[in-house]
Amino acid sequence: EFKFSKWTNKYLKAKSGHSQIKVEYRDNTVEKFGQGKEKVLKFEEFLSEMEKGNPHLYLSTQDLHLSEIDDRPDIISQPLSNLVDDFPLIPTLMGNL
């Protein structure tokens, strides 16, 4: 069951705010994203910047880490890995098929 209605910034900060994420940044709004400028922030810092309307940060795809159990890539990365109780890992795709 999807629980996305719970995903307020306050909720996301509480559940996954401590997660270290990689964000792209630009020095001004004339620059484009995708230029290789990256930095690491806590997810709660990123959300706070979005609340302020900061147009210089972009949350891009996060790297997958290797599982500590079997050394294979995890299927989900931070910050979503702390939110897996809010959505099914295998969603129903086509009703009764």
Side-chain angles (χ1 to χ4, degrees), residues 25-61:
Y25 71 92
R26 58 186 180 177
D27 296 318
N28 57 61
T29 55
V30 176
E31 288 183 4
K32 304 242 185 275
F33 290 111
Q35 304 300 312
K37 292 181 176 181
E38 297 177 338
K39 61 181 172 180
V40 175
L41 294 176
K42 287 185 179 179
F43 186 49
E44 64 187 344
E45 294 171 324
F46 173 78
L47 290 172
S48 292
E49 289 299 315
M50 294 299 98
E51 289 171 337
K52 294 178 198 173
N54 183 341
H56 300 116
L57 298 176
Y58 177 79
L59 179 61
S60 59
T61 305

Side-chain angles (χ1 to χ4, degrees), residues 4-93:
F4 297 134
S5 61
K6 295 168 49 172
W7 284 19
T8 63
N9 284 349
K10 181 179 179 180
Y11 178 81
L12 293 173
K13 286 178 183 180
K15 291 281 284 190
S16 199
H18 63 281
S19 298
Q20 297 285 320
I21 59 166
K22 182 174 56 175
V23 297
E24 292 185 43
Y25 71 92
R26 58 186 180 177
D27 296 318
N28 57 61
T29 55
V30 176
E31 288 183 4
K32 304 242 185 275
F33 290 111
Q35 304 300 312
K37 292 181 176 181
E38 297 177 338
K39 61 181 172 180
V40 175
L41 294 176
K42 287 185 179 179
F43 186 49
E44 64 187 344
E45 294 171 324
F46 173 78
L47 290 172
S48 292
E49 289 299 315
M50 294 299 98
E51 289 171 337
K52 294 178 198 173
N54 183 341
H56 300 116
L57 298 176
Y58 177 79
L59 179 61
S60 59
T61 305
Q62 301 298 297
D63 296 329
L64 292 174
H65 298 285
L66 294 179
S67 170
E68 295 176 7
I69 298 170
D70 59 9
D71 211 32
R72 298 174 120 186
D74 288 332
I75 62 168
I76 200 165
S77 62
Q78 298 286 341
L80 288 178
S81 58
N82 296 319
L83 299 163
V84 294
D85 293 334
D86 293 349
F87 56 90
L89 290 179
I90 303 172
T92 303
L93 296 177

